[in-house]
Amino acid sequence: MTADLPELAEGNFYYQELGGGRFRSTIHAQGAWNVHEQHMAPASGLMADVLERHQPREDMRMGRISYEILGLIPGGEFRIDTTTLRPGRTIELVQAELVAGGRTAIRATGWRLQTSDTAEVAAIEDSAIPGPDECKPYDGAAVWPGGYIRSLEMRVAEGHRPGAGKVWLRTDHPLTDRADSGDFARLMGLVDTANGIAARVPPGKDSYSFPNLDLQIHMYRRPEGEWLGLDNAVSFGRDGIGLTSTVLHDRQGPFGRTEQILTLRRS
């Protein structure tokens, strides 16, 4: 695929904030499949940040964000439009759309739920994984091209193999030049990386491409800190469709799950 290279912002951050809901991407947001596109990961983090800032309520938190990837995400300038689809006293549904080049590239909806004290019955079934200090450095840029992958620090646990692995990620780059996003948005901006940390086949020429069409994130706890842990498994079906399934972790332990449906294509 060929296209003119976009005009990018410059700086050690993912996006320059232009005002009025408009942004411009930097090289650090560059995608892996095409040099002129954005990677879904930082774009989804920015959209999570915008959703959190939209008519916030202290008695609610985000429990689920669902992203639909409607096409290639162009690099360069774009805007994000937000709205409340379903207001309510105990649950609310909010929406953000990333619009670039005259079309919607990503549509995200988020369920905000009213919080309450349920410590008496709190329990989780997801298992913990070795922490980042127990893992070895991992060079994701040796597998994947693009500015986003180069922006990450990655560590891998023992047993990593094609199709399954446990990897920790973090980045020193803030989401925007304002550097005022919290842990939640920063970690959401890493989740989409799950589709590439234990690829079943090498990406690139004479192999397969396997981009995800969506990103579904469910959280039973609000994540904290700078490290995101991914306990990952990738399944390829027989008819051109795959699925990446991941348990999400911070240093405190598991906090949720994500799923990504894949379209498998010979490259």
Side-chain angles (χ1 to χ4, degrees):
M1 184 180 293
T2 60
D4 293 336
L5 293 178
E7 181 181 347
L8 302 178
E10 295 185 3
N12 291 321
F13 45 83
Y14 292 105
Y15 298 102
Q16 178 186 18
E17 190 166 347
L18 303 177
R22 303 196 70 85
F23 302 88
R24 188 184 301 276
S25 64
T26 69
I27 188 64
H28 307 299
Q30 184 186 48
W33 297 112
N34 296 288
V35 296
H36 53 276
E37 71 175 342
Q38 292 184 55
H39 198 287
M40 177 60 183
S44 57
L46 183 63
M47 296 179 80
D49 196 26
V50 169
L51 284 173
E52 274 229 304
R53 296 174 190 267
H54 176 68
Q55 299 177 355
R57 284 175 48 181
E58 291 185 358
D59 63 334
M60 284 188 160
R61 76 160 176 89
M62 202 73 70
R64 189 223 68 181
I65 306 181
S66 177
Y67 299 89
E68 307 298 337
I69 306 170
L70 304 179
L72 186 144
I73 311 163
E77 187 173 339
F78 60 93
R79 74 173 193 270
I80 298 179
D81 301 329
T82 57
T83 187
T84 300
L85 297 179
R86 195 276 192 193
R89 184 177 62 85
T90 61
I91 57 172
E92 289 185 343
L93 184 64
V94 291
Q95 176 179 276
E97 292 188 327
L98 189 155
V99 181
R103 66 173 180 83
T104 300
I106 310 170
R107 180 174 294 120
T109 55
W111 277 112
R112 292 199 290 222
L113 291 75
Q114 189 176 53
T115 58
S116 61
D117 184 0
T118 54
E120 182 180 27
V121 294
I124 59 171
E125 297 294 336
D126 293 322
S127 300
I129 63 174
D133 298 334
E134 303 171 65
C135 298
K136 298 178 180 179
Y138 177 65
D139 183 11
V143 180
W144 292 96
Y148 167 69
I149 298 300
R150 293 194 300 269
S151 76
L152 301 177
E153 177 183 356
M154 308 176 73
R155 298 185 186 178
V156 62
E158 290 189 12
H160 188 273
R161 61 173 176 80
K166 299 174 178 64
V167 172
W168 287 91
L169 315 172
R170 71 175 174 183
T171 179
D172 290 332
H173 298 351
L175 273 174
T176 73
D177 54 334
R178 296 183 58 162
D180 61 352
S181 303
D183 290 354
F184 173 75
R186 180 170 54 252
L187 293 174
M188 292 301 99
L190 298 172
V191 172
D192 185 73
T193 320
N195 189 38
I197 64 165
R200 295 207 68 87
V201 296
K205 188 178 179 181
D206 300 324
S207 182
Y208 281 84
S209 60
F210 40 92
N212 52 303
L213 307 183
D214 74 341
L215 176 65
Q216 311 293 329
I217 306 173
H218 294 79
M219 295 160 283
Y220 44 76
R221 175 173 64 80
R222 184 178 177 85
E224 300 176 353
E226 62 178 354
W227 282 102
L228 176 71
L230 304 170
D231 187 357
N232 176 260
V234 183
S235 300
F236 284 179
R238 294 178 177 271
D239 60 353
I241 299 172
L243 180 68
T244 297
S245 303
T246 309
V247 180
L248 302 172
H249 300 252
D250 61 14
R251 279 189 176 271
Q252 309 306 313
F255 67 82
R257 292 173 173 245
T258 185
E259 304 281 340
Q260 297 158 284
I261 199 70
L262 316 178
T263 175
L264 310 180
R265 305 167 182 172
R266 286 193 176 274
S267 56

